[in-house]
Amino acid sequence: LRLSASGFHTDGLRPQSAADRRLFNARLGWQGAADRVTLHASWHEQPADDPLGLTRAQFDAAPGQTAPEALAFDTRKTVGQNQLGVQWRHAFAGGAPWMPAEAALSAYAGARRVTQFLAIPAATQGNPRHPGGVVDFARDYLGADLRFVWRWALADERQAELVAGVAVDEQNEARRGYENFTGTGADRVLGVQGRLRRDEANRAATRDVFAQWRADIARDWSLTLGARSGSLSVRSVDAYLSNGDDSGALHYTYTVPVAALQWRASPRLNVYVSSGRGYETPTLTELAYRPDGSAGFNDALRPQRSRQVELGAKWRDGGLSADAALFRADTRDEIGIATNAGGRSTFTNVGRTRRQGVELAAQWQIAPAWRTQVALTWLDATYTDGFLTCAGIPCTAPTVPVPAGNRIAGTMRRNAFAELAWRVAPATEIGAELRGQGGMMVNDVNSDATRGTWISALRATHRVPAGPGTIDLLIRVDNLTDRRYAGSVVVADANA
């Protein structure tokens, strides 16, 4: 039996940015001669204020300030989630070659509740199609996964393994929207729940079958082949019909294969290449509204489809390890914003994109008391096709060209991390860290970007014996040089 509980509170670095988080987890496990059963339970609650984003001018003038709208509307979000899960594993006794060696059954169920107060002006909500400035939904979800594993011994000490199974997942939610104010004129109160503006029941369900085969095809070569095939059904039933019926239903089917080849070049070096396809359906949010403003699902929106390939190497030699990978992913029918008017965003397929780059990582045990690690990433994420986007609010049709070759907003071209740790005593360690991040484009037009920066930190840990257990102590100082930097951007925000 394992139990863990934690609580966290911050006043926040900016006004209207306080947050709390409370977590509880329980795990109960039992193991027999051929069976193993594990139960998991978790409870999570997180109320947080929202200081909203800043414009470029606000950030340059005072990055510690909060948008006035956040204070006026008391913008905030509360999340609660409970989940229960169970897994049963069974090992079969030896038998015929067609008999599986192992089976595993997993199942889970949970509930999630979110309430969020936004800073949408009351005048904007005057549009009859507007869903309101308060998001409120309750979602129940569940799923199960059953898989079998076969293993065979081949000649020359080679091995083969097959994993096959089925998976089902489902979620049902009651989603409502309310005005974020009450009253009119001098009697108007902002930041409170007002009239109902949205009321719908949403459902999404997947049914999948999958299989993956791995075999040592030669003494130093192994091959992996896999596929996952299934369907996704989404349905929305609109009960708020005074602004039109936004009900709809869609059904998707897909098959996504993967293949990988690994070469054990030496006892210390592995080289591999892998390739696969991806299939990403639109979310319920992206399907909710049509770009032309008419009622019903955005059924013209197509799924994103991608092809990925990766070439890599792994080196392990005593106290030194190193990893390197080259990757590329080409996507077609990338989903982007079509219109943004009246408080509603709609989405469309903007064409092809490419994400490619390199990742490097190394760890070195310099001496028994000293160790270091470094990691570097370079990412080039760009639009292969040009398209039109919105210039601001309101936008009933995109008019601003995004040329092919522009960087995808919100992606960092460079990331770097380095650490040096010294174990002063068996129970005490001191570490220094250095993290670098590149700039991010804030929109697809690439008219503005954050600046890159380096951030340093120091930490110390100490372990104290306490009866049958230990107490771990940590002290940490972040951002030693007091850098001012933007850690995130609100991508393509219509208010800049």
Side-chain angles (χ1 to χ4, degrees):
L1 175 66
R2 294 181 183 175
L3 301 173
S4 66
S6 67
F8 170 82
H9 171 78
T10 177
D11 292 331
L13 298 177
R14 302 160 59 196
Q16 192 66 20
S17 64
D20 292 274
R21 183 173 64 241
R22 294 176 284 275
L23 296 169
F24 175 78
N25 288 282
R27 178 185 183 276
L28 179 63
W30 172 85
Q31 185 165 336
D35 298 279
R36 187 170 65 197
V37 180
T38 307
L39 294 170
H40 292 271
S42 65
W43 174 83
H44 169 216
E45 188 177 70
Q46 183 169 312
D49 292 333
D50 183 4
L52 301 180
L54 299 175
T55 65
R56 161 62 74 184
Q58 290 171 327
F59 183 84
D60 288 343
Q65 68 175 305
T66 288
E69 297 85 356
L71 302 176
F73 284 91
D74 189 18
T75 48
R76 60 200 185 274
K77 182 176 184 177
T78 301
V79 177
Q81 180 161 314
N82 306 312
Q83 183 165 304
L84 181 66
V86 60
Q87 183 183 71
W88 168 51
R89 288 184 174 273
H90 176 75
F92 294 93
W98 51 266
M99 283 288 293
E102 180 182 320
L105 173 64
S106 303
Y108 68 93
R112 181 176 177 85
R113 177 70 185 265
V114 174
T115 303
Q116 183 174 12
F117 285 77
L118 306 171
I120 298 175
T124 301
Q125 297 173 60
N127 185 327
R129 297 279 290 162
H130 199 282
V134 179
V135 176
D136 182 87
F137 71 82
R139 176 184 300 150
D140 298 322
Y141 58 91
L142 53 89
D145 181 300
L146 174 63
R147 61 185 62 194
F148 295 90
V149 182
W150 290 263
R151 298 186 180 94
W152 298 276
L154 307 177
D156 298 328
E157 300 181 347
R158 294 179 294 118
Q159 302 285 330
E161 179 181 272
L162 172 66
V163 180
V166 296
V168 295
D169 300 275
E170 183 175 315
Q171 70 172 40
N172 293 275
E173 70 175 22
R175 180 177 288 268
R176 294 179 174 86
Y178 301 90
E179 293 177 345
N180 57 358
F181 63 91
T182 59
T184 59
D187 297 327
R188 175 162 290 169
V189 179
L190 303 180
V192 297
Q193 183 174 307
R195 293 186 305 159
L196 181 70
R197 297 296 299 271
R198 184 179 185 180
D199 186 3
E200 62 191 37
N202 299 320
R203 179 181 182 270
T206 62
R207 305 289 184 263
D208 285 358
V209 296
F210 58 87
Q212 181 165 292
W213 177 78
R214 191 203 67 81
D216 297 323
I217 56 176
R219 187 170 185 86
D220 296 320
W221 293 83
S222 63
L223 175 67
T224 300
L225 298 173
R228 188 179 188 97
S229 183
S231 64
L232 167 67
S233 299
V234 294
R235 185 181 72 238
S236 180
V237 179
D238 190 0
Y240 187 83
L241 303 178
S242 63
N243 63 353
D245 188 352
D246 289 317
S247 301
L250 289 170
H251 184 76
Y252 303 94
T253 59
Y254 48 85
T255 298
V256 285
V258 64
L261 183 64
Q262 179 179 282
W263 173 40
R264 291 177 287 276
S266 75
R268 292 179 291 272
L269 176 64
N270 279 0
V271 180
Y272 68 90
V273 60
S274 64
S275 180
R277 292 183 180 179
Y279 186 95
E280 182 178 340
T281 60
T283 66
L284 283 166
T285 298
E286 292 164 344
L287 292 170
Y289 309 121
R290 294 181 176 180
D292 62 6
S294 62
F297 252 18
N298 184 9
D299 49 17
L301 193 60
R302 299 183 299 275
Q304 294 183 176
R305 303 170 188 264
S306 60
R307 296 173 180 265
Q308 304 100 28
V309 63
E310 180 174 319
L311 174 65
K314 298 176 181 291
W315 172 274
R316 302 290 184 269
D317 186 9
L320 177 64
S321 66
D323 296 77
L326 294 169
F327 61 88
R328 191 171 93 176
D330 290 318
T331 300
R332 58 188 173 96
D333 292 330
E334 181 102 8
I335 296 175
I337 293 177
T339 65
N340 196 322
R344 284 189 168 188
S345 296
T346 66
F347 297 83
T348 187
N349 300 102
V350 298
R352 296 174 299 163
T353 59
R354 172 168 292 176
R355 295 163 175 85
Q356 58 186 353
V358 59
E359 294 179 339
L360 303 172
Q363 297 185 21
W364 181 25
Q365 189 73 42
I366 305 171
W370 291 86
R371 62 180 176 85
T372 185
Q373 63 175 334
V374 295
L376 303 170
T377 300
W378 177 80
L379 170 67
D380 180 43
T382 57
Y383 288 101
T384 307
D385 293 331
F387 62 97
L388 298 178
T389 189
C390 286
I393 292 179
C395 174
T396 56
T399 57
V400 180
V402 175
N406 268 24
R407 287 170 56 187
I408 299 174
T411 59
M412 286 187 189
R413 183 161 284 182
R414 291 175 294 275
N415 267 297
F417 174 82
E419 175 191 60
L420 179 64
W422 174 36
R423 187 159 292 280
V424 183
T428 306
E429 184 179 86
I430 298 173
E433 300 173 8
L434 184 64
R435 179 166 62 91
Q437 67 177 45
M440 293 177 287
M441 291 295 175
V442 303
N443 53 39
D444 292 328
V445 181
N446 290 182
S447 61
D448 199 3
T450 66
R451 291 184 295 270
T453 191
W454 290 91
I455 305 132
S456 54
L458 286 177
R459 72 170 195 277
T461 58
H462 183 65
R463 176 165 291 182
V464 181
T470 61
I471 297 175
D472 293 330
L473 305 175
L474 164 70
I475 185 169
R476 180 179 177 89
V477 181
D478 281 317
N479 199 2
L480 287 170
T481 56
D482 197 25
R483 295 265 186 166
R484 286 186 173 187
Y485 66 98
S488 66
V489 298
V490 186
V491 174
D493 183 69
N495 294 305

